[in-house]
Amino acid sequence: MNFFDQLKHLLQRWSRGQPRANGASPEALEKMVRALEQTRDVEITCDEVLAVLDQVAEAMLRGEDVARLMPLVQHHLDTCADCREELEALLRILRASPAAT
């Protein structure tokens, strides 16, 4: 079931006063709507971001403006907690490496 089908199903259940299914809650609906609001016409996937994550981290360490250089990547990082965590882990490793000092 895709995002829109899930949203439609939740709204239908709640409008009929049926109990929550699979842990679905108004909070879950709000989270889905927020994610939808942040989508753009052009998006890139986690795989595409992870493929260039080393370049992003190196650019950040050099003080470059990643949002200007790679706006789609930056948008994805702003909206994807998993990719952002990967970037933060990579930055910690790079900062701790002897080459960074």
Side-chain angles (χ1 to χ4, degrees):
M1 186 179 307
N2 70 31
F3 172 81
F4 293 106
D5 291 337
Q6 289 176 356
L7 185 57
K8 182 179 174 183
H9 179 72
L10 285 174
L11 290 172
Q12 288 171 347
R13 290 181 62 95
W14 291 335
S15 69
R16 293 189 304 255
Q18 293 180 345
R20 299 175 189 164
N22 300 325
S25 66
E27 293 81 18
L29 176 61
E30 185 178 336
K31 184 177 178 180
M32 284 190 265
V33 170
R34 276 196 308 265
L36 181 60
E37 288 174 337
Q38 294 177 348
T39 60
R40 294 182 173 180
D41 290 338
V42 178
E43 297 269 342
I44 58 175
T45 66
C46 292
D47 288 340
E48 291 170 310
V49 170
L50 295 175
V52 297
L53 205 58
D54 59 329
Q55 296 170 35
V56 173
E58 290 170 2
M60 291 177 80
L61 291 175
R62 288 191 301 267
E64 296 177 15
D65 183 1
V66 174
R68 183 182 60 77
L69 296 171
M70 301 180 219
L72 292 175
V73 172
Q74 184 63 57
H75 175 72
H76 184 92
L77 291 168
D78 290 343
T79 58
C80 179
D82 292 337
C83 288
R84 194 169 46 253
E85 286 177 21
E86 290 290 328
L87 174 62
E88 290 166 2
L90 180 56
L91 286 169
R92 282 192 301 275
I93 291 167
L94 292 173
R95 287 180 179 129
S97 73
T101 57

